[in-house]
Amino acid sequence: MLKINCDMGESFGAWTMGDDSHVMPHIDMANIACGFHASDPLTMAKTVELALASGVAIGAHPSYPDLMGFGRREMSIAPAELKQLVIYQIGALNGICRALGAEVSYVKPHGALYNKMVVDEAIFRAVLEAVSQYDAGLSLVVMAVPESENLTRLAREYGVNLLFEVFTDRAYDENGRLASRSIPGAVFHTDIEIERQARAIIERSAVITLEGAEIPVSADTICVHGDGPRAVQTAQLLRSLIG
Amino acid sequence: MLKINCDMGESFGAWTMGDDSHVMPHIDMANIACGFHASDPLTMAKTVELALASGVAIGAHPSYPDLMGFGRREMSIAPAELKQLVIYQIGALNGICRALGAEVSYVKPHGALYNKMVVDEAIFRAVLEAVSQYDAGLSLVVMAVPESENLTRLAREYGVNLLFEVFTDRAYDENGRLASRSIPGAVFHTDIEIERQARAIIERSAVITLEGAEIPVSADTICVHGDGPRAVQTAQLLRSLIG
Amino acid sequence: MLKINCDMGESFGAWTMGDDSHVMPHIDMANIACGFHASDPLTMAKTVELALASGVAIGAHPSYPDLMGFGRREMSIAPAELKQLVIYQIGALNGICRALGAEVSYVKPHGALYNKMVVDEAIFRAVLEAVSQYDAGLSLVVMAVPESENLTRLAREYGVNLLFEVFTDRAYDENGRLASRSIPGAVFHTDIEIERQARAIIERSAVITLEGAEIPVSADTICVHGDGPRAVQTAQLLRSLIG
Amino acid sequence: MLKINCDMGESFGAWTMGDDSHVMPHIDMANIACGFHASDPLTMAKTVELALASGVAIGAHPSYPDLMGFGRREMSIAPAELKQLVIYQIGALNGICRALGAEVSYVKPHGALYNKMVVDEAIFRAVLEAVSQYDAGLSLVVMAVPESENLTRLAREYGVNLLFEVFTDRAYDENGRLASRSIPGAVFHTDIEIERQARAIIERSAVITLEGAEIPVSADTICVHGDGPRAVQTAQLLRSLIG
């Protein structure tokens, strides 16, 4: 069964982002920021408590170290260093979990790192090594892409299980890759579009392309964007469709 | 038997501090910075590897979040937030340890936080809660002070074991408290003074005061300041005296 | 005539705070964050542009270096260093102003630094030196306090003009000092209370105390808290009362 | 006459880098870090004072915002934001200069930004706009590259004067471009090699290539790397050769 995941804990100090307490009851997996692109230790603890209260699985959501850019800017960090940045973040969140009687069960990299790892093997290996050396029992969430067999093969080398992720508020290109945000129609802004994409994914294991075609996709989890105005209602919609 | 501890991993990015690789073989406990006053994930990993190679116990060395001030500036952080800052840092270092087959076995707060916790009960309780909730099996290093019974009683509430720490490069006042750095003669700059204080501690369980008297002290561990020019030779001296 | 000032530019990267574009047209002075407690260079530039469009005076709003704590946490920074931190921030904002054809005309310290400087002479002198050495033509905004003569005398030593500030959403104690937020009734949450305090200040040069008495106050500027839900309407109210 | 420049003020808080006080008397231009890859306001002020004492020209040395990576990691920052980051840093340093009776007279970007701007026109334009809008009277230091005419043409659009820079501790390729550090022989480690390159530059307006040939170069300034062990003696050597 498809799991609903959402980025959580992306407030920082005095700044608020997202509507975590209202989204949490409708999702299965909470990707909790670890302080490098968002969050701070107190925010992380509060978010872990929310996840515990709703019985939601907790994932580490590590990032490049870039608060000002919210982890959305590519940074050329050497793989050996990147590996330690990822381990540090997983460990930090897991420490906060441990103090609250919870634990991290998967990892979903954030932003520019999330995008980079599916197109740069050295970076993907660095993330896999981080997960594998920290705890090979953690799953790693990656974008569902056409070359998923290659990713799966690499992950197997490190003994890491992958969870492929799809998006209901985005169109795909004819190869099954996310259509670039710069293309008109690539980002869905209406409930109708989002529901149509959600139904394709949930009911037919397919995604709708820019041209309106459907192509098959193998997905384990659907992302709800937690920082948008529509987060709660999208989460509710997905919950009602998935059951 | 007295343990020799030293602050380690206090380099940061391109900046180097201390002579970790030469000090490590002579000490028993490495207090490793966790990224809030010094260190970065790659530096932490390298320092953990050094500790492993020398069979040295690894401690988390958490701090106020203040790289520019090296954690030496008092910050008025609320206890509930401070607790999570400490847990975050222990978890982060323990994550890096775990990936390398090591683990954190104690906690020694750094700088202004280290000084604050023995004079502010709410802060001390926040640190104790952090340690206790993360893993009550971890020891907590605190300054040997005249009112140690009070600290011990509080620590017992949280089930945390304390390790009292003394300094060989500092004079004490007549009450057994570290003499303020602003008093002439409070900081020892010669090998002779340091050795005299070291011998008092190791051979007679006493510290030498500013006036030259000896007063009894109950200590578990001696600190070597890792950032000074004399770190290696002080560590060697203590090693030879303690055996 | 009383000037209306408001903290502005307190968003940071992906996080938004305040409703700057709607508040700006109603105020006289924009205290723009300089990157140490909030803001980033791009946000600062956008805020300067907003101020220019409304013909609002631009002030530097320097802080302790503490993004995570939003500059609200006291930090024990040595005066000589604090002076340079303040100069750095004034210079940075003035640089952005200069590139846009604007300029900084006053300084209002933020948060914990704002509170500290009226009770700690060494800190107040550090801020005065910063302003004076950067440009003695800049005014310095300080809290209206009972001991204002002392502040004025010190400022005169440095050739700096002070602007005394009052608050319409806060009660004062019988000495003319802001009542602590921890006292019930110290913070006003209703329009009626705020308008009553505003009228006392604007129409009678007085502030209302917790006990409901009025005591005289000499103020140059009134603060609107820009991060609250009531910022725009409070600014409009003050505008209509002051004219 | 060729000017000798050196990166200065690259200490940060408790960490020291370089030997600024000994290098300063031998150079003409001090590129002072602005807090984004290194330095802090107090360090900047001390470095400005050193420059003033030696009559050395002060340049802003802005960087990507990356203390942990020392500004050496490429970051994909949008040009409009990058422009403000550069203006912020120039303004901050100029503020500190102003308080000390000095002023910034040129700009030399640091690290990854320095390398990027000569190969990415949008980034180069962003830097040119920053300089031009802040003060078109400031010169901009760029790497001497084969396509310097193109850079000169762009700079002229913005009314900015360029200073081309060469390195005495590096070999060039046959096109007059710095040979990559990864090629054996690309970085000079001996005094003999450095002096040979320095003499080619100073006496014959040429650089020596990896193959040992000389090709003409038009340079305005020579860089001394301030963080190496050889900084003082290289500066002295250049001073003696240039006169």
Side-chain angles (χ1 to χ4, degrees), chain A residues 62-132:
Chain A
S63 166
Y64 290 133
D66 181 18
L67 280 169
M68 197 192 288
F70 202 67
R72 288 174 177 155
R73 308 192 282 213
E74 173 55 21
M75 290 180 75
S76 61
I77 297 179
E81 179 165 4
L82 180 62
K83 181 179 82 171
Q84 299 299 344
L85 295 180
V86 171
I87 292 172
Y88 180 100
Q89 294 178 73
I90 302 172
L93 177 61
N94 208 22
I96 285 173
C97 284
R98 178 172 171 166
L100 292 165
E103 65 180 336
V104 168
S105 64
Y106 68 95
V107 176
K108 175 182 164 182
H110 168 82
L113 176 57
Y114 177 82
N115 293 325
K116 182 75 168 181
M117 70 175 177
V118 293
V119 296
D120 183 323
E121 185 177 317
I123 297 300
F124 190 51
R125 284 185 181 274
V127 173
L128 285 168
E129 266 196 45
V131 173
S132 158

Side-chain angles (χ1 to χ4, degrees), chain A residues 142-214:
Chain A
V142 298
M143 202 189 302
V145 288
E147 50 284 310
S148 65
E149 295 77 10
N150 189 34
L151 299 180
T152 302
R153 183 181 54 74
L154 285 166
R156 204 168 293 138
E157 269 187 47
Y158 295 88
V160 172
N161 179 49
L162 297 185
L163 298 177
F164 287 100
E165 177 179 48
V166 287
F167 299 84
T168 61
D169 58 355
R170 296 287 295 278
Y172 283 75
D173 69 17
E174 68 224 58
N175 299 314
R177 189 178 295 282
L178 274 182
S180 166
R181 286 174 181 276
S182 60
I183 301 174
V187 180
F188 300 152
H189 297 291
T190 68
D191 295 342
I192 289 175
E193 291 169 304
I194 290 171
E195 179 164 355
R196 196 187 304 144
Q197 186 65 291
R199 285 189 180 278
I201 293 165
I202 295 164
E203 298 170 358
R204 299 185 299 281
S205 294
V207 285
I208 302 176
T209 68
L210 273 172
E211 293 76 23
E214 286 197 9

Side-chain angles (χ1 to χ4, degrees), chain C residues 34-36 40-42 44-45 49 80-81 84-100 130 133-135, chain D residues 34-36 40-42 44-45 49 80-81 84-100 130 133-135:
Chain C
C34 302
F36 275 39
D40 57 80
L42 189 58
M44 290 163 71
E49 285 173 341
E81 179 166 5
Q84 299 299 343
L85 294 180
V86 171
I87 292 171
Y88 180 100
Q89 293 178 74
I90 302 172
L93 178 62
N94 208 23
I96 284 172
C97 284
R98 178 172 171 166
L100 291 165
Q133 291 181 10
Y134 183 83
D135 177 359
Chain D
C34 300
F36 275 39
D40 56 81
L42 189 58
M44 289 163 72
E49 285 173 341
E81 179 165 5
Q84 300 298 342
L85 294 181
V86 171
I87 292 172
Y88 180 99
Q89 293 177 75
I90 303 173
L93 178 62
N94 208 22
I96 284 173
C97 284
R98 179 172 170 164
L100 291 165
Q133 292 182 10
Y134 184 82
D135 178 359

Side-chain angles (χ1 to χ4, degrees), chain B residues 57-69:
Chain B
I58 293 167
H61 196 40
S63 166
Y64 290 132
D66 181 18
L67 279 170
M68 197 192 288

Side-chain angles (χ1 to χ4, degrees), chain A residues 8-41:
Chain A
M8 289 274 150
E10 292 189 331
S11 294
F12 172 59
W15 294 279
T16 299
M17 185 176 289
D19 188 9
D20 291 9
S21 62
H22 291 102
V23 172
M24 195 67 88
H26 307 295
I27 66 174
D28 302 298
M29 302 163 63
N31 322 316
I32 301 183
C34 302
F36 275 38
H37 76 283
S39 214
D40 56 80

Side-chain angles (χ1 to χ4, degrees), chain B residues 95-127:
Chain B
I96 284 173
C97 284
R98 179 173 171 166
L100 291 165
E103 67 180 335
V104 168
S105 64
Y106 69 95
V107 176
K108 175 181 164 182
H110 169 83
L113 176 57
Y114 177 82
N115 292 325
K116 183 74 168 182
M117 71 176 180
V118 292
V119 296
D120 183 323
E121 184 177 319
I123 297 301
F124 190 52
R125 284 185 181 275
V127 173

